[in-house]
Amino acid sequence: MQPNPAPTPPNMNHGGHEMFDSHEVLATFISVLDQYLIFDQYVKDQELRTILYRQHAFITDLYNICVEAFSTGEKPSHSTRVYKMQQNNNTVYGLTPGQPKKPFTSANEVNDQGVSGYMLGLIKSTGSLLGMTAFEMTNPVLRRVIADSVPNFIEMAYEIFLYQNKRHYYQVPQLTPQDMNQMLHSFAPAQQPNQFRQ
């Protein structure tokens, strides 16, 4: 019979793989926050600036509770907050003709369309990273903080998408009604099998 191992202190309750993932998550939060500060100088639209500031404040708070949970292994001073966007859910469908896109040739060309696109890319990739790392976290507190943050990044990305969409920066084409109807009805409900093989 093996003796019971000594309990692991909460701040040491991390696997090696989790240590690397946690560092990547925290470094990514710093990168997003730093880039949001850089973007501020290029923003002209007040609505985009409000989104930028609200998301920066939210991610700063999330970063702080993640650092706390990571370094102590215990519940942080407050729970993960819920991000609530201020946009409505109305999507503009269809394509509007415009000039072909191309890379900027000078930083002076950076505009609200570019900044909102950079923000969307950062938030989407960070949300994906959080989802992937939460699967393999061994510290239950840190895992819960990271997992609970995924829906918040989805909400932030959706907020930026809606901002872009109503300005025709992110256009949403639709299929013809006939094609859409065919695709909508191309699946049927599944039946439970009588039994699985033993």
Side-chain angles (χ1 to χ4, degrees):
M1 185 168 160
Q2 292 197 354
N4 288 335
T8 305
N11 67 332
M12 298 300 287
N13 187 8
H14 300 288
H17 187 79
E18 176 183 354
M19 294 296 284
F20 296 121
D21 279 351
S22 298
H23 272 243
E24 184 177 2
V25 165
L26 294 171
T28 297
F29 286 159
I30 290 171
S31 178
V32 171
L33 293 170
D34 290 351
Q35 289 178 76
Y36 268 40
L37 281 177
I38 293 168
F39 297 159
D40 185 40
Q41 65 188 306
Y42 297 104
V43 174
K44 306 280 186 292
D45 183 69
Q46 187 55 46
E47 184 179 0
L48 181 58
R49 179 169 276 117
T50 300
I51 293 170
L52 182 90
Y53 290 175
R54 288 180 69 244
Q55 291 189 0
H56 188 279
F58 186 87
I59 297 166
T60 299
D61 181 67
L62 176 60
Y63 168 78
N64 286 333
I65 63 170
C66 281
V67 167
E68 190 179 348
F70 177 62
S71 60
T72 67
E74 296 179 351
K75 189 173 180 180
S77 50
H78 68 79
S79 298
T80 309
R81 294 191 164 101
V82 175
Y83 186 82
K84 293 184 171 137
M85 67 176 192
Q86 296 179 335
Q87 300 271 6
N88 61 40
N89 292 312
N90 299 331
T91 301
V92 177
Y93 294 99
L95 299 176
T96 303
Q99 294 297 315
K101 293 181 171 59
K102 62 181 179 178
F104 296 135
T105 57
S106 163
N108 294 331
E109 297 176 74
V110 175
N111 55 27
D112 293 331
Q113 181 175 0
V115 169
S116 59
Y118 312 146
M119 291 168 63
L120 183 58
L122 285 169
I123 297 303
K124 285 171 63 175
S125 62
T126 303
S128 296
L129 173 66
L130 296 175
M132 288 187 297
T133 57
F135 293 123
E136 298 176 342
M137 294 272 172
T138 56
N139 182 282
V141 175
L142 184 60
R143 185 192 69 77
R144 176 51 53 203
V145 171
I146 297 293
D148 285 351
S149 300
V150 174
N152 290 319
F153 276 79
I154 293 170
E155 193 76 356
M156 285 188 279
Y158 187 53
E159 179 178 44
I160 300 166
F161 156 73
L162 289 169
Y163 169 84
Q164 288 191 309
N165 175 250
K166 73 181 171 185
R167 284 165 177 75
H168 304 287
Y169 300 159
Y170 194 131
Q171 298 191 47
V172 182
Q174 284 189 304
L175 300 175
T176 64
Q178 178 183 346
D179 290 347
M180 190 178 297
N181 192 50
Q182 182 175 337
M183 293 195 75
L184 285 171
H185 297 95
S186 58
F187 296 93
Q191 300 296 318
Q192 289 289 347
N194 291 333
Q195 69 179 58
F196 288 98
R197 281 193 334 190
Q198 298 297 324

